[in-house]
C-alpha cells in the first residue's frame, strides 16, 4: 500500500517539478521580478547585508528583530538540502546541476525580496498580539476576491503538510542518521533527544525560536563553510577543472562514468532547479512568514534583509558543498550513494576523521534548525486556517512527530515533502506576479528616498505615514 502511494506521489511530483510547470514558473517569475525591480539583488546586496548583520536593530511593529527574522528563515532553509539535496541533484543531473542551482538562487533573490515585502506589507495582528503574515495573508487580502481566497487556502494547506514532512519528519530522520554516524547513538535515543530539544524550543514560540536561531545559525554556517573552504584549499589544483566541468555539463549533459549512469541537459536543469528551491525556498513563500514577524517600519527594509538569506544559502553554503563534491571527484558514486557523497568528498580532502565529522555534525544542526523554522511556518499557517486556539495543539503534535521522524522509514515522507514544497510554490508565485506592481512601485519610492538605509526610525515612521494613504 505504502509503495503504491509512494509511486503515485512520485509521478505527480515529477510532473509538478517538471519542465512544463514549476521550472518555467520559478525561473520565469524570478527573471520577471529581477527585470521589474531593476536587478535589485545586484544593486543592493551590499547595503542589505550591512543592514542585516551590522545595523541589526529595528524599531516598529513586530515580534522579533529583523536579524532574528533572517536567522529564523535561514534556520528553515539551511538544512539537509544544503548537504544531501545538493549531492542528490549532482548524482542525478551531473555536475551541471550546480549551475542551475546557482541560477535559481540568483533570480530567486528577487522572488525572496518580493515575497518578504508583501509579507510585511499585508501583515495583521492576531488576538494574542502576534504578527500574522505571509502568502496566506497577501494572497487573501492583496489578490482578493474568490481567487485570492482560493490561492491563500491552497498555500496554507500545503504549508501545513510541508511543515510535517520536510520541516519535521525528514529532518528528524537526518538528525538521527547524523548522530549515529558521528557518535554511534541509536535511533531511539536520538529520537528522545530530538523530542526534548524541539519541545524546549518550539513551545516557547517565535520569541524563543528567534533567540536560539540568532545564536547558533551563523556559527554552524561558519563552521561548515570554513571546513569546505579548507577542503577546497587542499585541493586547489583541481578546482579550476571542477568549475569548467560544472559550466560545460550544464549545457551538454554528462556521459556515464563510475557509478554515474549519464544525464541529459533536462535532468541537470530539473534537479538543479528542484534542489535549488528545496534549499533556499525562494518563491515558496515560507520566508515571508518569518519576515512578517520582524520589527520593521517599512517592508522594503526587511525585504532587503530577507533577500540576503538566499545569497547565504545558495551562493555560499550550497556552492561549498557542490564544489567540494565535484572537485573531490565523488559526484559519480551513483544516486544510491547520494546520502554519503558529501561526507566522502570532505573525507577525501581533510585529514583523519575531520571530514566526516564536520559533515555529520553540520547535518545534525542544519536539520535541527530547519525543524525550528518550519515549526513557526506551520503554526502560522494552521492559525490562519483554524484560529489562535490551534497554536498550542499544533506545537505539541509537531514536537511529538519529531520523535517519529528519527525512528521511522521515510521514503514516503521524502516524496510527500517534495510534492508539498512544489505545491506551496504555485499559488505563491501566481500571487507574486499579480502583486508585482505594488512591490515595484513602493520599492522605488522608498529606495529613492532612503537609498542607503540610513534614515532614522523617526524619519521612516514619517515616510510610512505619508505612504499609507496609497497602501489602503
Amino acid at each position: 500500500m505504502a509503495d503504491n502511494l509512494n509511486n503515485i506521489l512520485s509521478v505527480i511530483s515529477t510532473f509538478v517539478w517538471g519542465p512544463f510547470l514549476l521550472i518555467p514558473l520559478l525561473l520565469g517569475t524570478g527573471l520577471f521580478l529581477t527585470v521589474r525591480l531593476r536587478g535589485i539583488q545586484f544593486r543592493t546586496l551590499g547595503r542589505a547585508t550591512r543592514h542585516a548583520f551590522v545595523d541589526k536593530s529595528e524599531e516598529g511593529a513586530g515580534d522579533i528583530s529583523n536579524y532574528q527574522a533572517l536567522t529564523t528563515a535561514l534556520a528553515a532553509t539551511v538544512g539537509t538540502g544544503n548537504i544531501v539535496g545538493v549531492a542528490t541533484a549532482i548524482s542525478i543531473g551531473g555536475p551541471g546541476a550546480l549551475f542551475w542551482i546557482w541560477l535559481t538562487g540568483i533570480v530567486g533573490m528577487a522572488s525572496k525580496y518580493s515575497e518578504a515585502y508583501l509579507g510585511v506589507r499585508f501583515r495583521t495582528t492576531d488576538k494574542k498580539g502576534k504578527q500574522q503574515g505571509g502568502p496566506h495573508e497577501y494572497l487573501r487580502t492583496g489578490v482578493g476576491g474568490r481567487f485570492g481566497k482560493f490561492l491563500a487556502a491552497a498555500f496554507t494547506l500545503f504549508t501545513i503538510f510541508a511543515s510535517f514532512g520536510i520541516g519535521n519528519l525528514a529532518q528528524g530522520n537526518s538528525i538521527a542518521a547524523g548522530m549515529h554516524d558521528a557518535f554511534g547513538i541509536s535511533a531511539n535515543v536520538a529520537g528522545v533527544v530530538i523530542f526534548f530539544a524541539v519541545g524546549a524550543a518550539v513551545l516557547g514560540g517565535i520569541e524563543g525560536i528567534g533567540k536560539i536561531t540568532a545564536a547558533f545559525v551563523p556559527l554552524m554556517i561558519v563552521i561548515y563553510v570554513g571546513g569546505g573552504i579548507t577542503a577546497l584549499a587542499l585541493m586547489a589544483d583541481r578546482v579550476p577543472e571542477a568549475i569548467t566541468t560544472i559550466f560545460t555539463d550544464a549545457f551538454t549533459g554528462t556521459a556515464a562514468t563510475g557509478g554515474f549512469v549519464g544525464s541529459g541537459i533536462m535532468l541537470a536543469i530539473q534537479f538543479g532547479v528542484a534542489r535549488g528551491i528545496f534549499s533556499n525556498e525562494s518563491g515558496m513563500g515560507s520566508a515571508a512568514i518569518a519576515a512578517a514577524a520582524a520589527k520593521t517600519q517599512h517592508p522594503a527594509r526587511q525585504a532587503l534583509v530577507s533577500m540576503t538569506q538566499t545569497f547565504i544559502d545558495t551562493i555560499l553554503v550550497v556552492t561549498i558543498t557542490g564544489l567540494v563534491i565535484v572537485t573531490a571527484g565523488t559526484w559519480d558514486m551513483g544516486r544510491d550513494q547520494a546520502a554519503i557523497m558529501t561526507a566522502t568528498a570532505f573525507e577525501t580532502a581533510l585529514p583523519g576523521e575531520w571530514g566526516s565529522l564536520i559533515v555529520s555534525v553540520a547535518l545534525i544542526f542544519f536539520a535541527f534548525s530547519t525543524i525550528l523554522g518550519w515549526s513557526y511556518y506551520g503554526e502560522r499557517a494552521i492559525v490562519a486556517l483554524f484560529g489562535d486556539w490551534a497554536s498550542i495543539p499544533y506545537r505539541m503534535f509537531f514536537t511529538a512527530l519529531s520523535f517519529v521522524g528519527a525512528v521511522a522509514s521515510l521514503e514516503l515522507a521524502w516524496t510527500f515533502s517534495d510534492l508539498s514544497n512544489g505545491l506551496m510554490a504555485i499559488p505563491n508565485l501566481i500571487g507574486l506576479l499579480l502583486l508585482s506592481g505594488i512591490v515595484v512601485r513602493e520599492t522605488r519610492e522608498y529606495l529613492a528616498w532612503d537609498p542607503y538605509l540610513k534614515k532614522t526610525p523617526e524619519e521612516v515612521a514619517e515616510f510610512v505615514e505619508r505612504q499609507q494613504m496609497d497602501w489602503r
Side-chain angles (χ1 to χ4, degrees), residues 340-354:
I340 63 169
M341 190 179 293
T342 305
T344 305
F346 272 70
E347 287 175 357
T348 300
L350 298 176
E353 302 295 323
W354 279 105

Side-chain angles (χ1 to χ4, degrees), residues 130-150:
K130 302 295 184 184
Q131 295 300 310
Q132 176 74 348
H136 48 273
E137 291 294 331
Y138 60 71
L139 293 173
R140 179 179 60 83
T141 307
V143 175
R146 292 183 178 179
F147 186 55
K149 290 179 180 178
F150 169 76

Side-chain angles (χ1 to χ4, degrees), residues 375-401:
S375 71
Y376 180 67
Y377 296 163
E379 180 189 336
R380 291 292 88 191
I382 208 163
V383 165
L385 200 60
F386 297 109
D388 294 336
W389 68 267
S391 176
I392 298 301
Y394 172 85
R395 294 182 194 178
M396 295 173 66
F397 180 71
F398 187 91
T399 300
L401 206 61

